[in-house]
Amino acid sequence: MVARGSKEWEEAGGIAAQALALQARAAPLAHADAEAWEDALSALRRAGAGGSDDGGARRDHALERKLERAAVVPLEIAALGADAAALAAVAGERCDGAYRADAAAAAALAAGGARAAAHLVEVNLGVREGDERLAQARASEQAAADAADRLLTSIR
Amino acid sequence: MSSLDAATDAELVRRCREGDAEAWNALVERFSRYVYAICVKGFRLRAEDAEDVFQDVFTRVYTHLDKLRDDAAVRPWIAQLTRRLCLDSIARGSREQPAPEQDFEETGDDFAEIEEAFAVREAVTTLGEACQEILDRFFAQDQSYRTISAELDLPAGTIASRIARCLRKLREELEGRSEPPGESRE
């Protein structure tokens, strides 16, 4: 909306196209996140109910894989949030002034999404401190927050 | 990238006529996805039927290339040929195994999408390598700005703007294209 409304901005179409591409990536990830979490939760319940029979090791492995997937999807969402915030920041800097506040709102929302997703990576039982995925999630969260802050500060 | 990758359709056709084997390979390479997309996406042919049509199309292109009146019109000629052979394939299939009538009118949008996708793909090849790479990474490989920035050693904050500039060039290329080439005798 911000890019399309900025008629004088020559590269607005290119920014709008990128926004659409990010949107197309986000929808399936949101769905996959819910599915991965449900799977991991079911696996955790099964593991909690099971004894130490021969199937224990197999169950642990299956649980590990489910937790792994439950961490990977929010990691991708965090990266997507960082991209959306960066794109909103570019739009906010170059767009028609009438839309700058909307771009800032979009950046803040994207930063919120990145933060929530990074938190989901952090609390995942399969992810421990020092894990590369955690570092990536936090980097995405930070990048999104920085982009949103810069834009919000510039319009206040 | 071979020198033939940058050749125009007309140049490629001319060299094929002269018996240049390398040009023939380049022509098949250039249009193979296009032909296959028409078969599979446009006419919903099964893989084995699409393969038959594919072979048939290029056999006919090879044997009838001298009938093409306008060398630059090779793409629409191949498209027309492919469509006709797809319809023949469907007709043969329905004679062998009667099936519920299929509604081929509904595939008009698919054809338009195929044409558009190939026009864009062709236009992308006219952009500089830097633009081709960054567009491919973002739109085809779904890479994040951070990944692109790290792999291309570019400042992270400039990626979105670079992509936007490349898209502007692409739009100018597409808008600047001339009217459709002429017809063929085939």
Side-chain angles (χ1 to χ4, degrees), chain B residues 38-102:
Chain B
I38 292 174
C39 296
V40 174
K41 293 197 76 179
F43 284 92
R44 314 264 195 265
L45 292 191
R46 291 175 305 177
E48 57 267 33
D49 293 335
E51 186 60 33
D52 288 345
V53 170
F54 182 92
Q55 299 287 348
D56 208 359
V57 166
F58 284 104
T59 303
R60 290 184 190 220
V61 169
Y62 186 78
T63 52
H64 297 295
L65 201 58
D66 58 332
K67 290 183 183 172
L68 186 64
R69 190 188 301 156
D70 177 359
D71 288 357
V74 66
R75 182 181 290 278
W77 178 55
I78 287 177
Q80 189 184 40
L81 192 54
T82 307
R83 287 172 193 181
R84 212 173 60 212
L85 292 171
C86 282
L87 288 171
D88 288 349
S89 171
I90 290 164
R92 271 197 310 277
S94 63
R95 276 199 300 273
E96 288 161 11
Q97 187 180 25
E101 195 174 321
Q102 287 173 278

Side-chain angles (χ1 to χ4, degrees), chain B residues 41 43 76 84 102 112-114 116 123 142 152-153 172 181:
Chain B
K41 293 197 76 179
F43 284 92
R84 212 173 60 212
Q102 287 173 278
E113 272 182 28
I114 292 168
E116 193 178 11
D142 283 353
L152 298 184
D153 198 20
E172 286 164 2

